[in-house]
Amino acid sequence: MLSRTAENLYWMARYMERAEATARLLTMGQRMAILPGAHHRDEWRSVVRATGSGHQFPEGTIVTESDAVAFLMLDADNPSSIRSCLLKARANAKSARTMLTQDMWEALNEGWRKLDSYDVGEARQQLPTLIDWVKTRVMTFRGAAHSGQLRNEGHDFLRAGSALERAQMTLRLLDVKYYVLLPETEVIGGNRDHYQWTSVLYALSGARAYHHVYGGTYTPWQITDFLMLNRLFPRSVAYCYDQLAYRLNRLAGWHNARGPCHDTVRDMVAAMEQQDSGEIFRRGLHETVQNGLTMTNRLGAAIAQTYHFG
């Protein structure tokens, strides 16, 4: 397979996952913003900050829901906005069209300019509907790939891109919780803290799975362990790392060669396996999340180096 085609598939998957991740961040922001005192805590700044774009809004000013929706959903100049991600995913798909099934292409192509017609006011009014539309588009694309695409190296590049972006999504959502909690540590363990932690689970569609594992007990350290270490939940960081290792090892078999990315992902999986229950919370959630984001960024660079992406 040409490096350019592999790169198109890899980034197409990443952009689709990123669009869904941003939609989930907006959902979480909405849930947290309805709590008493949200205006003073600047909940929406924490959402923007978790995308790595906090510098776009001057310190000392309140980031409103309108600001977040405009920037994270509609802004064509923001490379990580939902609108930009869907457009770039489609552009990559056009360049790798022969590697996609008809259903995959239709999932990408249907309504691809939908967000172009919305202004901020309309998007705010219809935000839950638009978020559901984004998630449905991504899940339809994912289902089409799962059910119809050949399990060749193209599929492995697609799944590797998805797994890497999904790991970052979970880490970013945990970082939102950190930033929201940081200014007012006295609420730890209170009703607001409980609501914020369960909001993280709902944003990742993990509430039912968590209940199956832990029952009706919701504690910050158990939720953190579940989202970081549970190897059965498909949005946990550990599960995504395992998927990355599996897909990259398959690619090593296809190409009969290993590179920097294989060493990096091996180290990431090994580091995750050494984490004990409750250790993440004891050592510091923010430090663990930031280390995870650093490692996933390093892996992304190593994948590009190994497979000669431009």
Side-chain angles (χ1 to χ4, degrees):
M1 175 181 288
L2 293 174
S3 293
R4 182 177 299 176
T5 302
E7 185 176 10
N8 288 143
L9 291 167
Y10 170 81
W11 277 105
M12 175 180 61
R14 289 199 65 172
Y15 284 130
M16 291 297 281
E17 284 286 339
R18 191 174 300 177
E20 183 184 12
T22 305
R24 290 177 180 275
L25 279 169
L26 288 168
T27 297
M28 187 172 171
Q30 275 197 314
R31 288 179 63 88
M32 289 186 173
I34 64 175
L35 290 172
H39 176 77
H40 299 292
R41 295 192 307 274
D42 206 0
E43 304 273 19
W44 285 108
R45 179 179 294 279
S46 70
V47 173
V48 174
R49 185 182 288 158
T51 68
S53 302
H55 62 281
Q56 298 288 338
F57 296 89
E59 290 294 335
T61 61
I62 297 293
V63 179
T64 66
E65 181 179 5
S66 293
D67 294 331
V69 170
F71 185 68
L72 297 179
M73 178 171 278
L74 302 178
D75 191 349
D77 295 325
N78 174 13
S80 293
S81 73
I82 293 173
R83 180 182 177 189
S84 293
C85 286
L86 294 178
L87 293 177
K88 286 189 281 192
R90 184 179 181 276
N92 278 278
K94 286 181 68 177
S95 299
R97 180 69 180 85
T98 58
M99 299 295 294
L100 309 183
T101 68
Q102 183 65 28
D103 288 338
M104 290 171 69
W105 172 249
E106 288 177 358
L108 282 162
N109 203 43
E110 183 180 341
W112 67 281
R113 302 207 62 149
K114 181 182 179 74
L115 296 180
D116 292 2
S117 60
Y118 282 83
D119 60 28
V120 178
E122 292 170 331
R124 274 195 66 197
Q125 290 178 353
Q126 301 184 43
L127 189 57
T129 300
L130 289 174
I131 287 172
D132 285 342
W133 176 80
V134 173
K135 290 164 63 177
T136 299
R137 292 265 55 78
V138 177
M139 287 187 281
T140 301
F141 170 79
R142 191 182 296 133
H146 177 76
S147 62
Q149 192 180 32
L150 290 173
R151 269 34 178 188
N152 54 18
E153 59 181 319
H155 186 74
D156 288 324
F157 277 114
L158 188 86
R159 294 295 294 274
S162 293
L164 183 60
E165 197 68 36
R166 184 174 290 188
Q168 291 189 337
M169 172 180 72
T170 299
L171 290 165
R172 289 188 186 110
L173 283 166
L174 284 169
D175 224 22
V176 171
K177 180 64 185 87
Y178 167 81
Y179 280 120
V180 166
L181 184 61
L182 183 63
E184 44 174 355
T185 54
E186 70 274 8
V187 305
I188 295 175
N191 290 334
R192 184 189 300 158
D193 187 48
H194 172 83
Y195 186 85
Q196 289 171 345
W197 276 108
T198 55
S199 292
V200 180
L201 288 175
Y202 281 109
L204 289 167
S205 301
R208 189 178 293 266
Y210 175 89
H211 184 79
H212 181 79
V213 175
Y214 290 103
T217 304
Y218 292 88
T219 64
W221 48 92
Q222 285 178 329
I223 293 173
T224 300
D225 283 351
F226 179 72
L227 296 179
M228 291 290 294
L229 304 178
N230 190 290
R231 307 189 99 84
L232 300 181
F233 179 56
R235 293 189 184 277
S236 79
V237 177
Y239 183 94
C240 292
Y241 284 7
D242 288 344
Q243 278 293 300
L244 281 161
Y246 174 69
R247 295 296 167 184
L248 292 175
N249 283 331
R250 275 177 55 91
L251 286 169
W254 290 112
H255 293 267
N256 196 28
R258 302 179 71 82
C261 65
H262 299 95
D263 296 332
T264 302
V265 77
R266 181 196 60 213
D267 293 342
M268 290 166 64
V269 171
M272 192 63 69
E273 289 174 343
Q274 293 171 7
Q275 301 273 5
D276 295 326
S277 177
E279 183 178 353
I280 292 172
F281 221 74
R282 289 192 300 269
R283 294 178 59 183
L285 174 59
H286 181 59
E287 292 75 10
T288 301
V289 166
Q290 289 302 308
N291 181 63
L293 289 170
T294 298
M295 291 301 296
T296 52
N297 287 333
R298 186 179 303 167
L299 179 59
I303 290 172
Q305 179 185 352
T306 300
Y307 294 107
H308 309 293
F309 292 171

